[in-house]
Amino acid sequence: MIRRLHLRNWRSYEDLDLSLGPGTTFVVAPNGVGKTSLVCGIAWAVFGPQSDINPKNSIRAGAGSAEVQVQVDLPDGRQLTIDRTVKRRGVPTATYTIDGASLTEAVGLAQLEQALGVDLAVAGRLSTMLGGAHLAAHDALDLESHLHHAFGVSHLLRTAEAAESVAKRAERARSQLRSTTRQRLDSRVAVETEIAETEAELARLTARGEELEQLRRAAAAQRDLVERHLAIADELERYARRRAELIAEAENLLGRPVAADDESVTSDLRTELARANRAASDATEGAVTVRSAISAASEAIDLLRRDSAICPTCMRELPADQRRSALDAHSTHISAAQEELGRPERVRETEQAQAPAVAGLLARVEALEPPRLAAENPTIPSRAEAEASYEQALAALDAHNQELGGARSRLQSLHAQISSDDETRREEEELRTAYRREAAALAGAQALREAADRVIGSRIEPIAREVRGRWKHLFTNNGLTFKADGSITRVRHGEELEWDTLSGGERTWARIITHLLVMATTTSLPCAWFDEPLEHLDPQYRQAVAATLATATRGGSPRQLLVTTYEHAIARQLAEGTDDAAIIAIRESGG
C-alpha cells in the first residue's frame, strides 16, 4: 500500500505531502481544489508510462517541471520508492529504489509487475477509477485477457487454437493428397536401365557437340579472314584511284607529264612551287624598279617647270630651249616606263595564283599514304565459299543440338517417372500421417477447450456468484451476470441486456464491485484509488456505494482504498461509524 505521497508543481498542487494508512480513506474537498489531481498524481507516480496520465499536461501553470514521489509497501514486504520528474521539454525521468537498492526504470517496472502479479496496464485500470461516477460507469472494464491469463485459461485456449490449426493444415494436406492420382511403376529396373543408356548417349553427344562447335568457330574465323582481305583490296583500289587523280591534277597544274612514282610527283611539285615563288618575287622587284624610275622622272619634271628651271642632274639653271628639251625627254621616259610596268604586274599575279595551288596539291600528295597490307594468302577462298562453309558448320551444329536436346528431354522424363513413383510412395505415407495428425489434433483441441471451460467454471464463476449476490442484496432483484470475458450483462424476462441498459447508479456500483472483486481474486494489488465515485448518484445508491467503499478493505484485499468526494457529510458519518475508514479534508490547493 502507499505510505507517503509527495506532489510538487503537479496540477492543482504547488507542494503536497500526504501520509496514508491502511483501510478506506475519504479525501474530502470542494470542487476545483484538486481531488482528481491527487488521484492522477498517485496513478502516474506508481505506474508511470503504463498509466493513462499525460504528465506534461499535468505541470502546474507557471512552473517549468513537476515532481512526484511515492513510497509503496509491496505485498512481499519490501518497500519501493519511486521518484518521477517531468519537464515541459524532454522525456520524463524516473528513479526506483527497493529497500535502499537503486534500480533502472525497466527493472523497477518489472519488479513492480512481479510483486503485484498482474500486467501493469491492467493494474492501472483495476486500481484507478477516474472521472467520477458518471464517467466511470460509462464503459465496462475490459478484463477478458486479464482473467484468462490470471486463471491459466489463455494458455489452454492458445494451445487449443494451435491444435485446431494443426488439424486444419492436416485436413488440407489430406484433401490435396486424395485429389492427386499417380501411377506406381510396375518395374523400376527397366526405367533405371534406360536412364543409364540415355546418360551414356548424352555423354557421347556432348563430346561430339564440342567438336562441331570447334568446326563452327574455324569456319567463322575463315569467313572473317575473307572479309578482312576483301576490305584491304577495296582500300588498295581507293588508294590507286585517288593517286591517279592527284597525278592528273599535277600534270594539269604543271602543264606537262609527270612521272608516276610518288617521289617524282613530290619533287616536281616542290620545284614548281619554288619557281613560282621566285618568279613572283622577281616580278615584284621589277615593278618596284619601274615605279622608282617613274617617280624620279616625275620629280625632275616638277623641278624643270619652276620659274628658275634647274637641271635635276647637274643642278644648274637651264636656258628655255634646254628646259623644253629636258621636259620632253622626261615625259617620254615616263610613258615608256608606264608601259613597261604592266608586264611584271601580270607575271606577279600569275605566279602568286600558281603558288598556293601547287602548295595545296603538294600537301595532299604528301598526306596520301598507301594502306598497310597484311601478308598475302594465295589459298584464301572467295566470300561465297567462306559463307557456304560457315553455314554448313552451323547447320551441322544445330542438328546436333536438336539431337542433344531430345536426349536430355528423354532423360528428364525418365527421372520424372522415378520421382513420381517416389512421390507417390511418399504421399501415401503422408496421407496416413495426415489422418493420424488430424485425429490427434482434433482430440487435443477438444480436450483443451473442455479444460478451459472447467477452469472458467471453477475460477471465474465464484466471482460471478459474488457479484450476483451483492447485486441482489443491494437492489433486491436478480439477473446480473458476470461473464467469463469480464463483461457484465443483465437478464430480464429471458433476454440478455447489455451493459448500457443498466442505470447510472447500477453501473457505478457494478463497476466498483468488479474492480474490488477482480483485484482481490486475481492480483496482489494492495491499494486502489477511486475519484468521486459518489457524485451524480441518487441518494439511495450514494449511501449504498459509500457503505460498500467504507468496508471494502476489511478482507485485506485491497489493504488500502483512497476515495475522493465532496460528499463531506456521508464521508464523516462513515469515518466515525467504521473502524476501517478515515477522512482527510483538503481545503485549498497545495494543503
Side-chain angles (χ1 to χ4, degrees):
M1 68 177 188
I2 295 177
R3 285 290 182 186
R4 177 176 171 270
L5 173 69
H6 182 211
L7 303 177
R8 184 172 178 273
N9 292 327
W10 178 267
R11 296 177 65 142
S12 300
Y13 298 101
E14 181 178 357
D15 191 80
L16 174 68
D17 202 337
L18 189 65
S19 296
L20 299 172
T24 300
T25 299
F26 289 95
V27 178
V28 181
N31 284 333
V33 170
K35 298 187 293 297
T36 302
S37 297
L38 180 64
V39 176
C40 289
I42 295 175
W44 189 63
V46 176
F47 298 114
Q50 301 298 327
S51 69
D52 293 330
I53 308 302
N54 186 331
K56 290 189 177 182
N57 292 342
S58 301
I59 299 175
R60 183 179 174 87
S65 63
E67 300 175 16
V68 298
Q69 184 187 72
V70 64
Q71 294 177 358
V72 182
D73 289 343
L74 297 177
D76 57 10
R78 295 180 297 167
Q79 187 176 78
L80 168 66
T81 301
I82 305 175
D83 287 275
R84 299 188 186 276
T85 301
V86 58
K87 298 181 179 180
R88 294 195 182 275
R89 293 185 178 180
V91 179
T93 59
T95 61
Y96 290 74
T97 304
I98 293 184
D99 291 343
S102 297
L103 307 173
T104 64
E105 183 170 20
V107 175
L109 289 173
Q111 290 281 325
L112 179 62
E113 185 171 279
Q114 182 179 3
L116 299 181
V118 60
D119 180 82
L120 292 184
V122 176
R125 292 199 300 272
L126 284 173
S127 62
T128 308
M129 191 171 75
L130 290 169
H134 64 297
L135 293 180
H138 185 269
D139 296 319
L141 281 170
D142 178 16
L143 294 174
E144 180 178 14
S145 60
H146 168 66
L147 292 173
H148 287 183
H149 175 74
F151 295 128
V153 175
S154 298
H155 179 70
L156 292 173
L157 293 178
R158 283 197 300 270
T159 307
E161 290 173 357
E164 290 168 348
S165 177
V166 170
K168 289 180 180 179
R169 290 197 299 271
E171 191 276 334
R172 287 196 299 269
R174 177 171 55 80
S175 299
Q176 293 172 356
L177 290 170
R178 292 183 62 183
S179 65
T180 303
T181 56
R182 289 192 175 93
Q183 293 291 333
R184 291 280 298 275
L185 296 177
D186 294 333
S187 175
R188 292 173 62 98
V189 177
V191 177
E192 291 171 350
T193 300
E194 189 174 356
I195 287 175
E197 293 174 351
T198 305
E199 287 177 342
E201 181 184 3
L202 194 61
R204 179 185 62 78
L205 289 172
T206 300
R208 176 58 180 163
E210 294 175 355
E211 295 175 0
L212 292 174
E213 175 59 24
Q214 291 178 357
L215 292 175
R216 187 202 65 77
R217 286 197 293 267
Q222 181 79 333
R223 185 181 61 174
D224 293 342
L225 179 62
V226 169
E227 292 298 328
R228 286 196 299 274
H229 274 267
L230 292 175
I232 291 172
D234 290 342
E235 190 175 353
L236 283 172
E237 183 179 351
R238 287 194 299 274
Y239 169 75
R241 186 168 56 252
R242 180 58 180 158
R243 186 172 176 277
E245 292 173 353
L246 292 175
I247 291 174
E249 188 176 348
E251 290 178 345
N252 183 60
L253 189 61
L254 298 177
R256 57 181 175 79
V258 178
D261 60 285
D262 294 341
E263 291 183 1
S264 296
V265 175
T266 303
S267 176
D268 288 350
L269 289 174
R270 287 176 179 169
T271 300
E272 176 60 19
L273 180 60
R275 185 205 63 75
N277 286 332
R278 284 196 304 272
S281 179
D282 291 345
T284 300
E285 290 179 0
V288 169
T289 301
V290 173
R291 287 194 183 91
S292 297
I294 293 173
S295 178
S298 296
E299 290 178 358
I301 291 173
D302 288 340
L303 289 174
L304 291 172
R305 286 178 176 173
R306 293 179 182 176
D307 293 339
S308 56
I310 298 174
C311 177
T313 302
C314 62
M315 300 304 294
R316 62 182 180 82
E317 188 174 351
L318 295 178
D321 56 342
Q322 289 181 358
R323 183 172 58 182
R324 285 193 298 270
S325 177
L327 285 172
D328 292 339
H330 284 299
S331 297
T332 301
H333 184 69
I334 288 174
S335 298
Q338 287 177 342
E339 291 180 2
E340 180 64 18
L341 182 61
R343 188 183 65 80
E345 288 289 349
R346 289 191 295 273
V347 171
R348 181 178 62 80
E349 292 176 358
T350 300
E351 298 301 337
Q352 283 183 342
Q354 178 76 351
V358 173
L361 180 58
L362 177 61
R364 283 180 283 154
V365 170
E366 290 177 340
L368 183 64
E369 293 184 1
R372 294 186 179 90
L373 302 179
E376 293 186 1
N377 187 353
T379 61
I380 187 170
S382 66
R383 175 181 286 170
E385 292 172 339
E387 189 67 32
S389 297
Y390 177 78
E391 292 296 334
Q392 183 178 0
L394 185 61
L397 183 61
D398 289 341
H400 169 270
N401 287 338
Q402 291 181 5
E403 185 178 1
L404 181 63
R408 286 174 176 166
S409 297
R410 289 197 305 276
L411 183 62
Q412 185 177 5
S413 176
L414 293 170
H415 279 298
Q417 292 182 49
I418 294 294
S419 297
S420 178
D421 186 62
D422 293 340
E423 182 70 11
T424 302
R425 295 171 187 267
R426 184 186 64 78
E427 288 181 354
E428 289 175 352
E429 179 60 30
E430 285 184 355
L431 183 59
R432 289 190 291 270
T433 303
Y435 272 114
R436 291 193 296 268
R437 185 183 297 116
E438 181 182 359
L442 288 175
Q446 182 178 357
L448 289 167
R449 290 199 176 276
E450 290 174 354
D453 291 339
R454 287 194 298 272
V455 171
I456 290 173
S458 63
R459 304 301 297 275
I460 298 180
E461 180 56 31
I463 302 176
R465 285 197 299 270
E466 182 67 20
V467 171
R468 288 195 296 272
R470 296 194 185 193
W471 172 275
K472 186 174 181 180
H473 176 74
L474 181 62
F475 298 107
T476 66
N477 58 50
N478 209 335
L480 196 70
T481 301
F482 182 81
K483 303 174 72 173
D485 62 1
S487 62
I488 294 177
T489 59
R490 186 177 185 180
V491 178
R492 178 176 290 177
H493 304 302
E495 181 181 357
E496 185 176 88
L497 305 178
E498 297 298 329
W499 167 265
D500 55 7
T501 62
L502 275 67
S503 69
E506 291 173 335
R507 280 183 287 176
T508 300
W509 182 88
R511 177 74 181 266
I512 290 173
I513 292 300
T514 301
H515 274 271
L516 296 175
L517 287 177
V518 174
M519 282 176 60
T521 55
T522 65
T523 76
S524 298
L525 282 168
C527 49
W529 321 291
F530 294 165
D531 181 34
E532 297 184 342
L534 305 179
E535 280 63 19
H536 305 286
L537 297 179
D538 294 337
Q540 173 192 358
Y541 293 144
R542 186 182 307 125
Q543 189 70 33
V545 169
T548 300
L549 294 172
T551 59
T553 60
R554 285 183 177 177
S557 182
R559 290 183 60 198
Q560 183 184 69
L561 179 62
L562 184 71
V563 180
T564 68
T565 181
Y566 58 72
E567 297 285 351
H568 187 271
I570 295 177
R572 185 178 59 216
Q573 176 186 351
L574 292 172
E576 292 175 352
T578 307
D579 294 336
D580 302 312
I583 187 170
I584 296 176
I586 300 178
R587 297 303 178 188
E588 59 183 16
S589 299

